[in-house]
Amino acid sequence: MSVAAKAETKGMSDAQVVEAYLIASMIPDPDAAAAYMKPGTVITFTGGREFDHPRGPTGFNARRYRWVKKKMERFDVCPGADETVVYSIGTLYGEWIDGTPFEGNRYVDRFVVSGGRIVKMDVWNDSAERILVQRGIEA
C-alpha cells in the first residue's frame, strides 16, 4: 500500500473510513476503495460470496445491475478495545441489468476497522428477494 493511501485515513474516524470506502466503491473505483482496507481483508458479499479485493463485488454487481448506488442513512459505531464495528444502513437505488429502475432496496454493511483500516466487511441486501418477485416467485 502506498504512503499516500496510508495518509488518507490519518485523522479520520472509523465511520469516516467506512464512508470514504463506500463512496469510492460507488464510483466505482475499486482500487481507490482498496486503499481503505488492510491487505488480506475478506469481503463476504450477498449469498456468502467471498472476495479479497473490492474488484470482486464490483464485478459481481456489474452482472446484476446496470448501475447501483447507496443512500447511506446512518452509521452505527460499536467501539471495542482493539477494533471498531461500523454498520452502514440504508437503501440501494439504481437500474437492474435490464434497465428497470429501482429504489428502496434495503442494505446493511458490517465493517470491522482496526488501526484506521477496514479488516473485514460483510454485505446483506434485499436484491435477491426483489429479483425473485420480478420473476413471479414469492419471496
Side-chain angles (χ1 to χ4, degrees):
M1 190 166 298
S2 73
V3 173
K6 288 183 180 181
E8 286 181 42
T9 61
K10 187 173 179 145
M12 294 174 73
S13 72
D14 293 335
Q16 289 170 324
V17 169
V18 167
E19 183 177 25
Y21 168 87
L22 290 171
I23 290 168
S25 69
M26 284 190 291
I27 292 174
D29 187 342
D31 291 325
Y36 298 98
M37 298 185 136
K38 284 189 178 172
T41 294
V42 174
I43 302 167
T44 305
F45 211 62
T46 59
R49 296 164 185 88
E50 288 189 353
F51 303 105
D52 62 359
H53 190 280
R55 283 187 295 268
T58 298
F60 177 79
N61 282 341
R63 296 189 316 266
R64 182 175 274 189
Y65 312 105
R66 264 194 194 169
W67 64 272
V68 63
K69 304 289 181 205
K70 292 184 177 194
K71 180 180 176 191
M72 295 177 266
E73 294 173 4
R74 74 176 199 254
F75 293 93
D76 293 344
V77 180
C78 308
D82 297 320
E83 61 187 28
T84 301
V85 175
V86 178
Y87 291 91
S88 174
I89 300 167
T91 57
L92 303 175
Y93 64 97
E95 288 183 9
W96 298 111
I97 200 71
D98 69 0
T100 304
F102 70 89
E103 63 182 355
N105 183 345
R106 298 175 311 156
Y107 82 86
V108 175
D109 293 342
R110 180 186 184 271
F111 295 85
V112 178
V113 181
S114 180
R117 292 274 182 253
I118 297 164
V119 298
K120 182 162 178 38
M121 178 182 179
D122 296 287
V123 176
W124 297 274
N125 65 54
D126 285 339
S127 292
E129 286 77 12
R130 287 175 169 237
I131 290 169
L132 288 172
V133 169
Q134 283 179 338
R135 294 184 179 158
I137 301 168
E138 187 176 331

